[in-house]
Amino acid sequence: MTPVLRARALSRSYDGRPVLTGVDLDVDPGHRLGVVGENGIGKSTLLRLLAGVEDPDAGDVVRPSALELLTQEPRFRATDTVADVMAAALADVRAVEAALQDASAALADGGPGTDDAYAAALLHAELAGVWDADRRAELALVGLGLADVEPTRPTARLSGGQRSRLALAALLVRSPAAVLLDEPTNHLDDAAAEYLAGALRALPGAVVLTSHDRVFLDETCTEILDLDPSLDGPTRYGGTFTDYLAAKRVERERWAERWKAERDEMARLRHAVRVTAREVGYGRELGNNFKMDYDAQGARVEQQVSRRVRDAQRRLDDLTRDQVRKPPAPLRFAAPPSWEAGAAGLVLQVRDASVPGRLDVPSLDLAAGAKVLVSGPNGAGKSTLLHLLAGDLVPATGSVQRARGVEVALLEQDVGLADDDRTPRDLYEAVTADLPRAPRLVDLGLVAPRDVERPLRELSVGQRRRVVLALLVARTPAVLLLDEPTNHVSVRLADELVDALEVAPGAVVVATHDRWLRRRWTGDHLVVEDGRVHVDAQGPGGPPVPLPRAVRPTVTG
């Protein structure tokens, strides 16, 4: 099978900083390649190079003429309406339909060659799905949550999320030979994301996409390209996202084993250079005639010793130069320093707390070590609940109390620091100054080594948020409140973070839309809807159970 899309040795730099180096890929018809990696690793750059929007510094791309790139911020003409966009998407199908009508009319009039021309036009129409086009367009709009948007509404009056979904619907209707998608699920709810995954699986062409939605990757992709640094550079994995995670675990174990083996070998060689290789008669028993032999052959023995030392030193130099770097340690939370003595009991208690117009919490008890997931639609009050528990939002009525000596920390969606001249290292060292065993910032894997000395004001919102997350990982407070913690982190780090949260010794409350996290969650589950908190006794996805004032059930670990 000939690949629809092929790239060889793609490299791209910006201002002298390499972003992509030597990337190869082939995508066959009907295959869907997911591109994953750290923010800033070059995922969007790769899509632009594949689309021809940018030229690579080196390498080449073979692409079909019918290729479309859907960016995170699609653009329409200001005068375009929803109907205009969908009509443009159907233009090629309408042209095929018109050609079939012309061929049919010619066939009716008779004449040489009209039979063959009609047969060709009919086949083209069947392949283009002429008779199903309007239904496909309608299904795309419904599936992506645009059924209630008036066809005459100008795109300029749509929200950013609606414009993204409209661009997706138009692309699915056109069904080009190759599709490039940059974070297509950013503005989709669960139902729309599931519809899009099914629609992409049905496309006959090649698909390359980036996404932080791990469920979407798992449901959509037939291969994964990981751009993150590894033993072998950018690596391609066959199978689903779940298959990729399993392969990465095996790969990491192999990486760690190789690193340890090389460290052991380097220690042996250093000892050989200092001691072993200098021993006369190294490796054999000394006999009674040793001194006589040594006196007679002293020069030759010295040469052998010198050669052994040189050989050991050369091997040591080669291994030191080429040794693999130590694999990054997975995220983990230590025992909360502020709650080491509190192995049990309540750490937070809420009674009849109300934030007018935003949230009502009849009762909530949070035990030491509890793991609580908070889900709900946008604007329902999830972030308000976290701010209430953190103590930086005071209820108009009711109370929020914490146990004595308990440290509570909140990771907000917007952490600020936009005007801060300190570097991530400066901030991290200041916040962890009282923690003698705090890990090094670069060892947490949350902040790229190239960013640790850059002023915080120069970092993106996502990068600054990860710096703050690093502070929380190092401090491990007794109560950790996280608002969308997997936003702005790579899929690898997101997976490590979920694993770390599950075994964190302190209490954890997580508000998230992350479907992968929600599906894996094994703790308690709260649902916030219309400013009211419910307990979901059946886990994420189950029907919510109201929290009546008379019952006041307790959420415990």
Side-chain angles (χ1 to χ4, degrees):
M1 182 181 294
T2 302
V4 173
L5 193 59
R6 169 177 290 175
R8 288 292 178 269
L10 287 185
S11 297
R12 186 73 168 95
S13 298
Y14 296 100
D15 299 324
R17 183 176 67 87
V19 176
L20 293 173
T21 303
V23 176
D24 298 332
L25 62 83
D26 294 290
V27 189
D28 296 326
H31 286 235
R32 297 168 297 279
L33 177 68
V35 182
V36 300
E38 286 285 352
N39 291 338
I41 200 70
K43 300 187 296 294
S44 297
T45 297
L46 176 60
L47 294 188
R48 292 194 296 271
L49 296 179
L50 294 176
V53 175
E54 292 185 19
D55 295 324
D57 299 330
D60 58 83
V61 178
V62 177
R63 64 180 70 87
S65 57
L67 177 147
E68 291 196 27
L69 167 65
L70 185 65
T71 62
Q72 296 185 41
E73 297 181 1
R75 296 179 179 179
F76 301 105
R77 292 178 303 182
T79 56
D80 283 343
T81 65
V82 172
D84 293 334
V85 171
M86 296 308 292
L90 291 167
D92 289 344
V93 175
R94 300 298 187 216
V96 172
E97 184 179 18
L100 177 63
Q101 291 172 350
D102 292 342
S104 178
L107 179 65
D109 292 338
T114 55
D115 289 348
D116 292 340
Y118 177 77
L122 181 60
L123 177 61
H124 196 186
E126 290 173 347
L127 292 175
V130 164
W131 298 279
D132 199 35
D134 290 323
R135 189 182 71 88
R136 291 201 313 273
E138 182 180 354
L139 286 176
L141 292 173
V142 172
L144 294 172
L146 295 171
D148 296 332
V149 178
E150 303 88 345
T152 56
R153 183 183 299 184
T155 56
R157 288 177 47 205
L158 297 178
S159 68
Q162 288 174 322
R163 286 194 295 273
S164 294
R165 284 178 276 151
L166 179 60
L168 269 174
L171 181 144
L172 293 174
V173 169
R174 282 191 292 271
S175 185
V179 173
L180 310 176
L181 303 172
D182 197 359
E183 296 291 348
T185 63
N186 273 359
H187 299 285
L188 304 184
D189 60 17
D190 290 2
E194 290 173 3
Y195 168 81
L196 178 60
L200 292 178
R201 290 196 299 268
L203 287 180
V207 177
V208 181
L209 60 91
T210 72
S211 180
H212 284 85
D213 186 334
R214 291 162 288 168
V215 171
F216 180 73
L217 289 170
D218 204 43
E219 293 177 345
T220 305
C221 296
T222 57
E223 295 120 324
I224 299 291
L225 175 64
D226 189 348
L227 297 181
D228 277 342
S230 67
L231 285 178
D232 304 314
T235 307
R236 183 169 178 159
Y237 301 84
T240 65
F241 181 73
T242 296
D243 297 329
Y244 155 77
L245 289 179
K248 288 295 286 186
R249 283 192 289 270
V250 173
E251 180 184 283
R252 193 189 184 287
E253 291 173 0
R254 190 169 63 246
W255 183 355
E257 290 171 357
R258 178 176 166 183
W259 177 81
K260 183 179 183 304
E262 289 186 356
R263 298 281 292 183
D264 292 344
E265 177 67 4
M266 289 169 66
R268 188 190 69 78
L269 288 171
R270 289 191 187 99
H271 181 72
V273 170
R274 291 193 309 269
V275 180
T276 311
R278 300 181 185 275
E279 295 176 350
V280 177
Y282 170 63
R284 66 180 176 85
E285 236 179 271
L286 300 183
N288 293 330
N289 296 327
F290 167 70
K291 189 173 188 311
M292 182 186 303
D293 292 341
Y294 183 79
D295 289 340
Q297 305 177 38
R300 186 161 61 86
V301 171
E302 289 295 338
Q303 289 175 355
Q304 291 174 346
V305 169
S306 178
R307 185 173 63 250
R308 287 199 300 266
V309 171
R310 287 197 308 271
D311 288 346
Q313 185 64 57
R314 185 180 66 253
R315 295 199 303 273
L316 177 60
D317 291 342
D318 290 344
L319 193 54
T320 301
R321 183 186 63 248
D322 300 329
Q323 67 176 313
V324 300
R325 67 182 181 88
K326 184 179 180 180
L331 292 178
R332 57 174 58 90
F333 293 89
S338 63
W339 192 247
E340 291 180 354
L346 296 181
V347 289
L348 275 176
Q349 186 177 77
V350 184
R351 290 292 182 268
D352 297 322
S354 175
V355 181
R358 295 167 63 183
L359 185 70
D360 289 307
V361 185
S363 175
L364 177 63
D365 292 341
L366 188 67
K371 304 295 183 287
V372 182
L373 176 74
V374 181
S375 64
N378 287 332
K382 299 188 300 298
S383 296
T384 300
L385 175 62
L386 294 189
H387 282 282
L388 190 69
L389 298 178
D392 53 19
L393 183 61
V394 179
T397 59
S399 65
V400 179
Q401 297 178 320
R402 68 180 62 174
R404 186 183 302 275
V406 165
E407 180 181 357
V408 180
L410 167 64
L411 175 69
E412 303 178 66
Q413 293 197 47
D414 183 4
V415 298
L417 303 176
D419 300 320
D420 202 314
D421 289 326
R422 290 175 297 177
T423 67
R425 190 190 301 278
D426 293 337
L427 180 60
Y428 185 81
E429 290 179 351
V431 173
T432 61
D434 60 332
L435 303 176
R437 294 192 299 272
R440 296 191 311 158
L441 175 59
V442 293
D443 290 340
L444 294 175
L446 286 162
V447 182
R450 65 177 179 270
D451 294 329
V452 294
E453 299 295 349
R454 292 175 60 193
L456 288 161
R457 54 180 168 75
E458 293 182 3
L459 302 182
S460 68
V461 173
Q463 289 169 324
R464 291 196 297 270
R465 197 163 185 263
R466 290 165 64 181
V467 171
V468 175
L469 180 56
L471 303 179
L472 301 185
V473 171
R475 291 209 62 85
T476 56
V479 180
L480 184 59
L481 310 173
L482 302 170
D483 199 352
E484 298 292 352
T486 57
N487 283 1
H488 306 293
V489 300
S490 71
V491 291
R492 176 186 62 81
L493 274 175
D495 210 52
E496 287 185 6
L497 178 60
V498 175
D499 289 340
L501 291 176
E502 289 179 347
V503 297
V508 176
V509 182
V510 179
T512 185
H513 285 94
D514 186 332
R515 294 188 293 161
W516 188 270
L517 193 160
R518 282 154 44 202
R519 290 186 183 187
R520 285 188 52 187
W521 194 259
T522 57
D524 294 293
H525 182 213
L526 295 179
V527 179
V528 183
E529 293 178 323
D530 299 324
R532 298 285 296 178
V533 179
H534 308 270
V535 172
D536 183 358
Q538 300 183 28
V545 180
L547 245 166
R549 286 178 176 269
V551 177
R552 293 184 176 177
T554 298
V555 177
T556 60

